[in-house]
Amino acid sequence: MSKTDPTSEVVGPEILSQRMGRGSPSPSSIELSTSAQLAPPKDRGGSKSGLLYFFHQFLRREYLSIISLIVFLLAWEGVCYFKIIGPYQLVPPTTVLKVFILKLTQVNPDGAYLWAHALSSLGLALLGFLGAALIGVPLGLFMGWYTRLNLVVRPIFDLIRPIPPIAWIPLAILWLGIGVKAKAYIIFLASFVPCVINSFTGIRLTNPILARVARVHGASDFTVFLKIGLPSAIPMIFNGLRLSLNAAWTTLVAAELVAASQGLGFMIQMGRRLARPDIVIVGMLTIGVLGALLSWGLSKAESHFVSSRRLT
Amino acid sequence: MDDYILSCQDLTVSFKDSEPPVLRGLTLGVRENEFLVILGPGQCGKTVFLNCLAGLQLPTEGAVYYRHNKVVGPGRERGVVFQKYALFPWQTVLGNVAWGLKSQGVSKEKRRAIALKYIQLVGLSGFENAYPQTLSGGMKQRVGLARAYATGPKVLLMDEPFGALDAQTRYAMENELLILWEKEKRTVIFVTNNIEEAVFLGDRVILMSARPGRIKIEREILIPHPRSYTDPTFLALRQEISAETDLAL
């Protein structure tokens, strides 16, 4: 415990107030953990104390991050309050929060509610991402397993791979117009590459001895692919999906610069035109939060497939 | 070749024309329910030989026969226990043992019953739902044994199955293997580089030489089980074989 002593001085008040709220007289964390064992949160009677207990545990684990966030927000607020950066360049977090709430029920000044922008962007990103995953993952797997297919596809893929997705915008408009299709296509391209590469590498990592085990049991090559190759590749597939999702989400804003009338990228663009940094920041933060949520969702899905049992 | 269950005739395997063959002119017959040990130093082609018998490697010249049929690929009558366990990490013990049965199209209840029987036979009852990486080395290879047994092969090919285990576990596993083999007799071809292991387990020991892999000597071991490492006959045989080996002792 001596290791945490210096920091516990800093968070003393918070934790102490929490303890007082729980009515626990002892400040030692050993006492705390035993009381937790004796009385798990479920059996603590009221749900209020259970919630408090949960909150307390959360604080204990995350206090450094919370402090960091608070300091950051205070610094930001301070920079605006003391006019270090002027109100037309930056608005304080309190204003951002106000505008955020306001934008939920108000279409001004950019023409749509915040949630409409968010939904539009989310739909677009997911459309491109899912398309890329549905085509890219099987393609990568087959390329990794069947050498001939790899020889056929590889040169074309290697040629297209280094082209930034944004460079496709003019062609995408020429081919698909300025609607959803062109944007989805660009996002698709951006998230396609990591799907293919990671699935390819993943299935290449299949332990040849495991494949041999399957063959000894009379499995056909396709069965070995499905039953040995695919499970071996799962961790890398998810790695690819995560990178793809990132790519989809980051390309989104660029794609929405293409004659959009809705979407978070469009909202940011409007904020710039109207010299409204508050709108810009609300759009940016919404992108950040939604992106984090998507990544979190994917991690959840991954842990469903890939539990600790796979660590060999 | 008539009374042999598995045999090979003039087996030669070479990977590159420029190099001497890995195996040259191997002729060998294995009797039914025999425990044959193939002993040899590292890189002498033991694993290649075993892969030929399993049908995973096709010989450059010569052929392998199961009864009277030429072996052209893996077959259900020949099960393999691999070096370093080779368990499917995404499957439980039960899933691993039942895997071969599933690919044979055995029904789910039957699969489970057979798998449980062999899990119990190798002494892993209670670990059916454990995943491989939670098991110790010895336990993993028990799963490997159960998996090979479960599909009901007539011949079991074992490629240094205890090579990755520490000495004590290895000794315990050798005993376990003999007990299992006594309960369910199969033809076993057991590859090892360990002389004690060879003399302890085998009905017959084939000593191989390296580059090219050939049969150097062959010894029937008539010491009754359970054998003791300190038995004078055991020591004499060990001495005799080690004098013939290129193994560094």
Side-chain angles (χ1 to χ4, degrees), chain A residues 110-121 124 183 252 255-267 270:
Chain A
D110 45 83
Y113 299 114
L114 179 63
W115 52 262
H117 285 308
L119 272 183
S120 156
S121 291
L124 203 55
K183 286 171 220 148
L252 181 76
E256 279 175 350
L257 294 179
V258 183
S261 59
Q262 225 177 30
L264 294 167
F266 168 77
M267 180 176 153
M270 283 302 280

Side-chain angles (χ1 to χ4, degrees), chain A residues 57-110:
Chain A
Q57 290 295 75
F58 178 75
L59 273 185
R60 260 165 57 87
R61 250 185 297 122
E62 308 287 345
Y63 66 90
L64 274 178
S65 312
I66 294 167
I67 290 168
S68 151
L69 201 64
I70 289 170
V71 168
F72 172 75
L73 289 173
L74 283 178
W76 178 3
E77 188 79 38
V79 162
C80 295
Y81 184 81
F82 295 108
K83 301 231 165 40
I84 299 170
I85 300 178
Y88 290 100
Q89 281 84 45
L90 188 68
V91 292
T94 41
T95 312
V96 169
L97 190 68
K98 247 183 269 166
V99 173
F100 179 85
I101 294 165
L102 215 63
K103 275 300 293 170
L104 291 174
T105 54
Q106 194 180 315
V107 293
N108 293 329
D110 45 83

Side-chain angles (χ1 to χ4, degrees), chain A residues 207 209-219 223 227-229 231-232 307-312, chain B residues 51 55-56 74-76 78-80 82-83 86-90 99-100 102-103 131 133 147 151:
Chain A
N207 184 346
I209 295 173
L210 294 186
R212 217 179 290 165
V213 174
R215 281 177 57 206
V216 160
H217 285 110
T223 311
K227 293 290 175 67
I228 311 297
S232 302
S307 51
S308 58
R309 65 188 146 107
R310 293 187 46 94
L311 299 167
T312 28
Chain B
N51 283 345
L56 289 166
R76 276 161 200 172
R78 284 161 288 133
V80 183
F82 288 86
Q83 220 169 342
L87 303 179
F88 304 130
W90 53 85
W99 202 91
K102 196 177 177 187
S103 66
Y131 283 91
Q133 95 285 351
R147 181 174 63 184
T151 49

Side-chain angles (χ1 to χ4, degrees), chain B residues 198-216:
Chain B
V199 179
F200 185 76
L201 291 172
D203 291 334
R204 185 155 59 116
V205 174
I206 303 273
L207 179 65
M208 279 178 73
S209 67
R211 273 179 281 261
R214 269 182 302 200
I215 296 175
K216 202 166 184 187

